[in-house]
């Protein structure tokens, strides 16, 4: 356990600088976005009401009030979020390959540590999880701050205050529901599915690192197999009798399949790390 | 310990932030206003079995669906996640069947037309087919019979006979009579619709009879026939008659080669299951079936007509003709006129009509009326109102999507 924690700490510290810089970009860019969007809205409102002499009520009904919705659709807001997602997606691969292709083959030292090699694998996947949840948490902390800035800048009659859920359901970015689901159960399910996917990817990387060119094919083969096994209950049901299981039963079966696939992936990775990995 | 500070901080931040976010959002759900049905006059027990589905909107952007009964309102998000998955809303009678006969209902469609239920049996009949690139083929009846007394299920499949020319078919109604299953289907051949009746013997699992019972004959080249089953107040219940509306559609050429479809004739046809005969229903002058909503329960057709503040129901008994004309007024306690474009949601069950106006907002309440279709008396009037006064009055509203009787 102690070894594992040390490794997690070590892995996290290796990306920490980049990570915190990205958090800072998220903070600055989004707050700038709130300020710019509000300024724009206010300038436009002033121009319309004082220069074009449109009555306030008519202006509101024609152009609508200001809300975080308008901020969300600007590149200042959604851009850095996309950057964070991209970083995590990219780092899933880089977290392994940097150890082989870095200045000195660092993997050599990692694998020589007097601890189970699986701990290296688990520490890396924990780091990916920490990064992901860290972004989500940071965004959730940022949102009330941004809302407050909007409140300071735009007077109440020109403004609609939205909670995170209201913002997502009223915006066009319904994909954000995957990142910030409505309930804690959906949160666990979504990120659980993400975890399964990352273990499959890691296993594919292990295949590649063990057998190189041949390993790429093995890795792809393993990934396809894992996905088929994961969706097997649904596929079988399509062929035998549609809608045989109730949705809640499918969910339970799928959770079980997710656990099975994850265990298989970790077991295969463990075997490859122990016996087949090449440095 | 010191060297772990980054990990510790990020761990705490994650747990606190995501934790409070979900605790807070769990608490805000109950912040939506609760709605109640408040009695104005009549007998409160009349609305005990009424279920009203609707959507609540605040600030015109946020919509949340809810169910309203005499016990108050319940929002979708207040239901447990698993319950939401297995179907919140939907058709009440199907949902009840799923709760009562969970295993029997596996893989069954959600249409009450495909079911038949009496004290002894619950029967399901549907047509399965394979869709290939040209047309659907390989039509099969898929039948399930649940003997509720002995708790036995019998499921089987039979090929549908004589399907060579068939484009498409679907089941309109399932009935049972003397141990035989009667399945009414709408069969579409070359754009023309016809109603067929298949009789199946349950014990031997065989089709014992098949005939075309209603069709459009003598159609011209630019005409096509349409046949629709009249919506039944309770499609699952046993009934002697099945009613269809038969109409002829004609393509009329407009200028420059455009065609417009026009209905040239329509009539109601009743099929009597006991005598195995169909006969047209000669409706009195003042009722024109196609312009009104019609509902049917075994021996009575109800013609429903609405105006902004009223619902007028004319029952027509198959063997006696028109029996009265009953007018029920929907007006809220502030005596607001309903707007012309606002429609009502109306259902008929057990000789009673249930009508509810579709919208409630700060200015006016939605009105619910229950009326007897035997005496024409208004049995109950009530209003859907928020339990506590709404906070953002101006922008909040409740829209009724449907009303069902349990």
């Amino acid at each position: 356990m102690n070894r594992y924690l040390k490794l997690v700490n070590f892995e996290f510290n290796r990306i920490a600088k980049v990570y915190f810089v990205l958090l800072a970009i998220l903070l600055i860019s989004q707050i700038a976005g709130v300020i710019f969007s509000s300024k724009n809205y206010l300038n436009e409102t002033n121009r319309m009401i004082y220069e074009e002499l449109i009555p306030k009520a008519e202006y509101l009904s024609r152009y609508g009030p200001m809300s975080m919705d308008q901020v969300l659709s600007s590149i200042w807001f959604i851009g850095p979020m996309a950057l964070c997602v991209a970083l995590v997606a990219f780092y899933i691969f880089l977290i392994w390959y940097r150890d082989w292709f870095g200045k000195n083959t660092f993997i050599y030292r990692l694998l020589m540590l007097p601890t189970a090699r699986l701990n290296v694998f688990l520490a890396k996947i924990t780091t990916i999880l920490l990064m992901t949840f860290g972004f989500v948490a940071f965004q959730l902390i940022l949102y009330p701050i941004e809302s407050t800035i909007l409140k300071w800048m735009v007077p109440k009659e020109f403004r609609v205050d939205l909670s995170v859920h209201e913002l997502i359901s009223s915006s066009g970015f319904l994909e954000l529901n995957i990142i910030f689901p409505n309930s804690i159960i959906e949160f666990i399910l979504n990120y659980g599915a993400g975890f399964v996917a990352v273990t499959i990817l890691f296993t594919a990387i292990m295949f590649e690192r063990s057998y190189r060119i041949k390993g790429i094919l093995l890795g792809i083969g393993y990934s396809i197999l894992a996905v088929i096994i994961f969706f097997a209950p649904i596929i079988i049901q399509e062929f035998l009798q549609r809608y045989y299981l109730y949705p809640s039963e499918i969910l339970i079966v799928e959770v079980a399949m997710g656990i099975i696939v994850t265990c298989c992936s970790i077991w295969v990775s463990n075997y490859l790390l122990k016996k087949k990995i090449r440095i | 310990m010191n060297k772990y500070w980054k990990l510790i901080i990020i761990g705490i931040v994650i747990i606190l932030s995501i934790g409070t976010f979900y605790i807070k959002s769990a608490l805000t759900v109950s912040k939506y206003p609760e709605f109640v049905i408040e009695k104005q006059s009549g007998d409160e027990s009349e609305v005990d079995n009424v279920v009203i589905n609707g959507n609540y909107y605040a600030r015109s952007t946020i919509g949340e669906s809810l169910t309203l009964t005499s016990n108050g309102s319940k929002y979708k998000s207040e239901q447990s996640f698993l319950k939401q998955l297995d179907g919140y809303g939907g058709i009440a009678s199907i949902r009840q069947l799923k709760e009562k006969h969970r295993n029997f209902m596996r893989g069954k469609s959600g249409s009450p037309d495909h079911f038949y239920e009496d004290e002894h049996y619950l029967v399901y009949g549907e047509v399965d087919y394979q869709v290939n690139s040209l047309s659907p083929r390989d039509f099969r009846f898929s039948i399930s019979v649940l003997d509720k007394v002995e708790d036995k299920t019998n499921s089987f499949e039979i090929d549908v006979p004589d399907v060579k020319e068939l484009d498409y078919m679907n089941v309109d109604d399932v009935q049972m009579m003397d141990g035989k299953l009667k399945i009414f289907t709408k069969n579409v051949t070359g754009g023309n619709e016809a109603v067929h009746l298949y009789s199946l013997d349950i014990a031997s699992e065989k089709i014992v009879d098949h005939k075309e019972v209603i069709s459009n004959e003598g159609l011209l080249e630019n005409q096509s026939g349409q046949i629709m089953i009249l919506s039944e107040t309770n499609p699952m219940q046993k009934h002697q008659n099945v009613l269809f509306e038969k109409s002829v559609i004609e393509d009329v050429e407009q200028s420059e080669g455009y065609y417009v479809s026009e209905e040239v004739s329509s009539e109601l046809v009743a099929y009597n299951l006991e005598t195995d005969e169909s006969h047209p229903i000669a409706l009195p002058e003042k009722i024109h079936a196609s312009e009104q909503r019609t509902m049917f329960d075994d021996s009575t057709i109800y013609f429903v007509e609405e105006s902004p503040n009223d619902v007028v129901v004319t029952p027509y008994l198959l063997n006696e003709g028109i029996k009265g004309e009953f007018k029920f007024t929907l007006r809220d306690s502030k005596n607001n006129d309903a707007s012309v474009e606002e429609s009502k949601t109306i259902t008929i069950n057990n000789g009673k009509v249930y009508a509810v106006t579709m919208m409630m907002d700060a200015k006016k309440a939605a009105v619910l009326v229950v009326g007897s279709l035997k005496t024409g008396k208004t049995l109950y009037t009530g209003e859907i109102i928020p339990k506590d006064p709404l906070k953002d009055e101006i922008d909040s509203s409740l829209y009724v999507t449907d009303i069902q009787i349990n």
Side-chain angles (χ1 to χ4, degrees):
Chain A
M1 193 63 201
N2 203 15
R3 298 273 184 195
Y4 160 76
L5 269 183
K6 265 187 187 153
L7 274 168
V8 174
N9 187 47
F10 167 75
E11 282 289 349
F12 188 74
N13 279 326
R14 286 170 90 191
I15 188 73
K17 261 189 210 140
V18 178
Y19 188 70
F20 287 123
V21 166
L22 210 61
L23 287 184
I25 293 175
L26 192 75
L27 175 93
I28 295 165
S29 172
Q30 290 202 342
I31 288 182
V34 175
I35 294 172
F36 288 153
S37 303
S38 307
K39 268 255 156 58
N40 273 344
Y41 181 84
L42 287 176
N43 288 341
E44 185 68 8
T45 310
N46 280 331
R47 196 176 66 79
M48 285 298 191
I49 293 180
Y50 293 110
E51 287 174 30
E52 312 261 326
L53 298 173
I54 296 175
K56 203 155 76 177
E58 198 195 321
Y59 175 79
L60 277 177
S61 73
R62 200 189 300 173
Y63 297 100
M66 175 74 189
S67 68
M68 283 303 283
D69 199 6
Q70 268 139 300
V71 183
L72 176 69
S73 47
S74 74
I75 189 80
W76 295 98
F77 198 94
I78 207 85
M81 280 171 92
L83 209 62
C84 294
V85 174
L87 173 78
V88 173
F90 184 57
Y91 201 61
I92 288 173
F93 295 93
L94 197 68
I95 201 170
W96 286 105
Y97 286 103
R98 69 185 291 180
D99 289 339
W100 268 273
F101 300 111
K103 258 182 260 162
N104 33 27
T105 40
F106 200 79
I107 194 70
Y108 187 73
R109 276 202 269 166
L110 271 183
L111 295 181
M112 282 303 154
L113 287 177
T115 168
R117 284 178 176 180
L118 186 63
N119 274 340
V120 176
F121 181 93
L122 294 177
K124 284 186 195 294
I125 206 160
T126 311
T127 308
I128 297 289
L129 276 183
L130 275 177
M131 287 169 67
T132 313
F133 289 143
F135 281 134
V136 173
F138 191 65
Q139 182 65 66
L140 290 176
I141 294 170
L142 264 184
Y143 186 76
I145 299 173
E146 290 156 0
S147 270
T148 314
I149 296 174
L150 189 81
K151 275 181 202 169
W152 287 339
M153 294 189 63
V154 183
K156 186 154 185 11
E157 66 258 43
F158 288 101
R159 185 188 79 214
V160 171
D161 297 325
L162 297 172
S163 77
V164 174
H165 296 321
E166 291 168 346
L167 174 69
I168 292 172
S169 58
S170 67
S171 76
F173 298 100
L174 287 178
E175 297 82 7
L176 288 177
N177 252 331
I178 300 168
I179 305 177
F180 310 102
N182 283 320
S183 69
I184 188 80
I185 298 179
E186 286 163 89
F187 184 90
I188 293 166
L189 291 176
N190 288 1
Y191 286 98
F195 181 76
V196 177
V198 174
T199 53
I200 294 172
L201 278 179
F202 270 22
T203 311
I205 294 170
M206 290 299 95
F207 270 111
E208 193 278 329
R209 285 291 86 193
S210 301
Y211 300 103
R212 302 295 146 99
I213 305 281
K214 231 186 344 172
I216 296 177
L217 293 176
L218 283 171
I220 293 172
Y222 178 82
S223 304
I224 293 172
L225 187 71
V227 171
I228 290 175
I229 291 173
F230 183 76
F231 287 111
I234 295 173
I235 299 169
I236 292 170
Q237 188 178 238
E238 276 302 300
F239 280 116
L240 289 183
Q241 191 182 2
R242 290 180 113 188
Y243 309 118
Y244 184 76
L245 293 175
Y246 287 101
S248 60
E249 293 166 346
I250 288 183
L251 179 79
I252 292 164
V253 175
E254 280 305 320
V255 168
M257 292 317 284
I259 293 169
I260 290 170
V261 169
T262 307
C263 289
C264 283
S265 297
I266 292 176
W267 184 80
V268 170
S269 298
N270 187 31
Y271 170 79
L272 291 172
L273 265 172
K274 257 188 182 157
K275 302 274 165 72
K276 300 286 179 197
I277 203 85
R278 286 203 233 160
I279 296 174
Chain B
M1 208 60 206
N2 235 348
K3 62 181 181 178
Y4 289 125
W5 68 271
K6 278 184 205 151
L7 267 194
I8 292 167
I9 286 178
I10 195 129
I12 292 173
V13 166
I14 287 170
I15 289 165
L16 281 185
S17 163
I18 297 176
T20 43
F21 177 74
Y22 281 106
I23 291 168
K24 246 175 78 187
S25 62
L27 294 177
T28 44
V29 164
S30 49
K31 268 194 190 155
Y32 289 123
E34 198 177 320
F35 291 91
V36 289
I37 305 173
E38 200 183 63
K39 188 181 91 169
Q40 303 292 316
S41 64
D43 182 2
E44 197 125 20
S45 65
E46 293 292 347
V47 288
D48 279 351
N49 53 0
V50 172
V51 181
I52 294 171
N53 291 311
N55 288 306
Y56 168 72
Y57 294 93
R59 281 165 271 161
S60 68
T61 47
I62 305 126
E64 183 72 31
S65 60
L66 77 163
T67 306
L68 188 67
T69 62
S70 53
N71 298 326
S73 57
K74 189 147 195 176
Y75 285 92
K76 182 181 176 187
S77 44
E78 288 174 289
Q79 306 260 357
S80 78
F81 180 72
L82 287 184
K83 219 168 176 181
Q84 283 183 37
L85 267 186
D86 276 347
Y88 160 93
I91 297 168
S93 52
I94 295 291
R95 205 170 51 234
Q96 277 172 350
L97 284 181
K98 279 185 177 167
E99 276 163 22
K100 249 194 266 168
H101 310 286
R102 190 172 168 89
N103 270 325
F104 178 79
M105 292 299 285
R106 284 183 187 284
K108 307 275 189 285
S109 82
S111 165
D113 292 340
H114 300 159
F115 289 91
Y116 164 85
E117 191 177 24
D118 59 23
E119 306 82 59
H120 201 132
Y121 293 106
L122 174 61
V123 182
Y124 170 80
E126 164 68 314
V127 175
D128 279 339
Y129 49 84
Q130 241 149 31
V131 183
N132 69 7
S133 57
L134 292 166
S135 60
R137 43 182 268 258
D138 203 4
F139 291 93
R140 288 176 320 264
F141 281 120
S142 140
I143 311 288
S144 295
V145 181
L146 172 68
D147 186 328
K148 290 199 279 191
V149 179
E150 301 195 5
D151 197 23
K152 259 201 233 151
T153 305
N154 177 23
S155 298
F156 56 94
E157 289 199 337
I158 317 180
D159 285 333
V160 180
D162 309 329
V163 289
K164 260 190 208 134
E165 309 271 291
L166 207 60
D167 299 335
Y168 176 72
M169 76 188 279
N170 73 296
V171 173
D172 268 350
D173 199 6
V174 177
Q175 286 289 310
M176 198 151 98
M177 196 159 268
D178 313 326
K180 287 201 180 60
L181 209 58
K182 306 273 184 182
I183 301 179
F184 286 92
T185 63
K186 180 155 81 180
N187 295 12
V188 185
T189 321
N192 277 323
E193 300 180 344
V195 175
H196 287 234
L197 173 61
Y198 298 85
S199 303
L200 282 81
D201 186 60
I202 294 174
S204 63
E205 301 182 3
K206 276 197 180 107
I207 295 178
V208 289
D209 192 22
H210 162 224
K211 59 186 167 190
E212 186 177 87
V213 290
I214 296 169
S215 62
N216 276 294
E217 278 145 21
L219 293 171
L220 300 173
E221 206 172 302
N222 60 344
Q223 289 177 335
S224 59
Q226 266 188 4
I227 300 176
M228 293 230 295
I229 186 167
L230 278 201
S231 55
E232 294 168 48
T233 59
N234 183 0
M236 297 187 200
Q237 145 194 94
K238 186 185 190 80
H239 44 79
Q240 199 185 346
N241 294 292
V242 185
L243 266 83
F244 297 92
E245 185 183 341
K246 195 166 113 170
S247 47
V248 176
I249 308 289
E250 193 173 276
D251 290 331
V252 182
E253 192 173 351
Q254 307 288 91
S255 57
E256 291 165 33
Y258 283 106
Y259 281 90
V260 173
S261 299
E262 254 174 36
E263 192 181 278
V264 283
S265 72
S266 91
E267 65 173 335
L268 288 182
V269 181
Y271 186 83
N272 188 322
L273 275 162
E274 254 160 39
T275 61
D276 266 341
E277 275 169 358
S278 69
H279 59 91
I281 296 169
L283 288 175
E285 268 295 292
K286 66 173 190 170
I287 292 173
H288 192 256
S290 60
E291 280 171 15
Q292 307 185 2
R293 281 203 253 178
T294 40
M295 263 173 264
F296 169 66
D297 81 359
D298 196 18
S299 59
T300 317
I301 314 171
Y302 300 99
F303 296 93
V304 184
E305 213 173 358
E306 3 171 339
S307 62
N309 289 310
D310 307 301
V311 170
V312 179
V313 184
T314 314
Y316 177 92
L317 271 69
L318 286 184
N319 36 18
E320 289 172 47
I322 289 186
K323 195 140 196 221
E325 188 186 78
F326 306 127
K327 186 175 179 179
F328 305 99
T329 305
L330 286 88
R331 209 176 261 275
D332 71 359
S333 54
K334 291 173 200 155
N335 223 9
N336 282 312
D337 272 331
S339 54
V340 183
E341 65 273 20
E342 192 187 335
S343 63
K344 295 159 201 74
T345 307
I346 300 164
T347 186
I348 290 172
N349 187 280
N350 254 332
K352 289 174 193 164
V353 62
Y354 299 78
V356 59
T357 49
M358 275 179 47
M359 203 189 108
M360 187 238 85
D361 61 15
K363 279 186 225 111
K364 61 175 194 268
V367 189
L368 170 65
V369 165
V370 183
S372 163
L373 294 172
K374 295 198 175 78
T375 61
K377 279 206 186 95
T378 302
L379 301 172
Y380 176 93
T381 54
E383 282 185 347
I384 298 171
I385 51 164
K387 200 174 178 190
D388 307 306
L390 294 178
K391 260 193 295 165
D392 309 309
E393 287 224 307
I394 310 132
D395 291 324
S396 316
S397 54
L398 177 78
Y399 282 90
V400 172
T401 48
D402 71 344
I403 179 168
Q404 299 179 21
I405 313 302
N406 266 338

